[in-house]
Amino acid sequence: MRLQDKVALITGGASGIGKAATELFLEQGARVVIADYNQEQGEQLISALEHHQANVVFCRTDVSKADQAKAAVAFTIEQYGRLDILINNAGITRDAMFTKMTEEQFDEVLDINVKGLFHMTQAALPYLIKQGAGKIINTSSVSGVYGNVGQTNYAASKAAVIGMTKSWAKELGRKGIQVNAVAPGFTATPMVAKMPDNILDQMKSIVSLKRLAEPRDIANAYLFLASDEADYVHGHVLHVDGGIMM
Ligand code: CAA
Ligand code: NAI
């Protein structure tokens, strides 16, 4: 039980990587709040989590809205009395070649993938600072590190996640708050299922391990960073990408 009695708030915790993290964190003894804007999927997940239902709650949240981010954090404190781990995992794609990308597609991705982290973390910090402890884990991407065709908006957002992670690590370390990021490679989730088959095959072929990540491969990295084992890991971007580029 690597997270016994810890309280974790997982954004985007109803699907894909966030869902795997919800399941893994519960198995490891945590109490979990799923903050996701897909209520139906969140409630379905909780009803499938037969043995853990006492330790998990859903909070309908659009992370791009400051008031909803604040409400999700307040709900967590109301339910469990504290917050130990914030996983800023919610994210979206709106892929298009740059010549065709609309301002709306650009803004939508930045609003959720960047401002979502801004709102959630700002809402959580008063509690974490008061506790003098807490772990923040942000989700970047290979696209934010290396760029990707058709993903100007998304790559910009995921590079911003790295900049925010390092800035927060520098500001918050002295307050006992650890901040790290995970940069996943292509992972078998609904997000990747939307990619054209030929492009996905091309991506798989450049991964050294010659397979997509499973959602649990990424959730395991969240678990490590959230656990006491990572108590001296700070301002780090953990690449979990099967060796897509080295
Ligand atoms: N590498 C090289 N060339 C590429 C390419 C690639 N990855 N993708 C597209 N191209 C080329 C095409 O072959 C095509 O070339 P020609 O003009 O010579 O025929 C040209 O670029 C235009 O491509 P499309 O015909 O596909 O253009 P489109 O406007 O119909 O669609 C697109 C563009 C929406 C970006 C589509 O190509 C697409 O969905 N690509 C996948 C983008 C991607 O990798 N998304 C990752 C989603 S998963 C995720 O984001 C998780 C994560 O963090 C990694
Ligand atoms: P997914 O699409 O399966 O799940 C994303 C979840 O986030 C969904 O439950 C969705 O409802 C929720 N969400 C989206 N916008 C939201 C908002 N505004 N407020 C609250 N919840 C919201 O995606 P996946 O693949 O699990 O992605 C999780 C994270 O990992 C994202 O940040 C993504 O960018 C990142 N990532 C994914 C990779 C992949 O290959 N699947 C690779 C690298 C990074």
Side-chain angles (χ1 to χ4, degrees):
M1 291 291 187
R2 289 158 72 191
L3 299 178
Q4 190 65 53
D5 299 328
K6 302 280 189 201
V7 175
L9 197 172
I10 304 178
T11 72
S15 170
I17 295 168
K19 176 180 172 204
T22 298
E23 292 165 346
L24 183 60
F25 278 36
L26 287 168
E27 286 165 23
Q28 293 296 327
R31 285 166 290 166
V32 175
V33 175
I34 301 171
D36 199 299
Y37 67 11
N38 190 331
Q39 180 149 5
E40 197 185 330
Q41 211 159 350
E43 284 170 356
Q44 264 171 22
L45 172 59
I46 291 184
S47 54
L49 290 168
E50 287 166 11
H51 305 302
H52 297 294
Q53 275 166 359
N55 290 324
V56 58
V57 283
F58 179 81
C59 180
R60 196 197 170 282
T61 312
D62 179 346
V63 296
S64 70
K65 305 279 186 292
D67 56 336
Q68 294 190 31
K70 261 194 193 148
V73 172
F75 178 75
T76 304
I77 304 295
E78 201 182 289
Q79 286 288 313
Y80 297 129
R82 55 185 296 113
L83 172 62
D84 301 296
I85 302 156
L86 171 63
I87 311 274
N88 279 316
N89 163 84
I92 61 159
T93 54
R94 293 290 180 266
D95 294 348
M97 302 306 274
F98 183 54
T99 48
K100 293 190 206 158
M101 188 173 282
T102 63
E103 188 176 352
E104 194 186 16
Q105 285 172 318
F106 190 83
D107 287 346
E108 207 182 339
V109 168
L110 272 285
D111 271 354
I112 293 175
N113 296 9
V114 180
K115 271 180 111 180
L117 269 68
F118 177 93
H119 293 317
M120 287 302 304
T121 306
Q122 223 167 42
L125 278 178
Y127 300 96
L128 302 186
I129 290 171
K130 205 160 130 207
Q131 286 169 192
K135 299 199 193 233
I136 299 170
I137 297 155
N138 297 326
T139 309
S140 179
S141 160
V142 283
S143 298
V145 179
Y146 306 111
N148 190 20
V149 174
Q151 292 205 296
T152 296
N153 49 1
Y154 183 81
S157 75
K158 293 300 185 178
V161 169
I162 294 175
M164 290 161 95
T165 300
K166 294 191 176 185
S167 301
W168 294 343
K170 287 183 174 171
E171 284 189 26
L172 299 169
R174 68 199 169 87
K175 297 187 190 293
I177 298 159
Q178 280 171 260
V179 191
N180 291 290
V182 175
F186 288 83
T187 308
T189 72
M191 181 179 275
V192 155
K194 287 186 280 185
M195 288 174 68
D197 288 345
N198 60 331
I199 296 175
L200 187 55
D201 286 346
Q202 186 189 318
M203 290 304 174
K204 254 189 261 179
S205 74
I206 61 167
V207 176
S208 297
L209 292 179
K210 301 293 170 207
R211 67 167 176 90
L212 297 180
E214 291 301 322
R216 195 166 266 236
D217 291 320
I218 312 305
N220 280 327
Y222 291 167
L223 172 62
F224 167 65
L225 291 172
S227 73
D228 296 346
E229 291 152 35
D231 273 354
Y232 202 62
V233 183
H234 187 53
H236 186 70
V237 181
L238 181 54
H239 294 223
V240 186
D241 60 16
I244 200 165
M245 289 202 199
M246 286 175 275

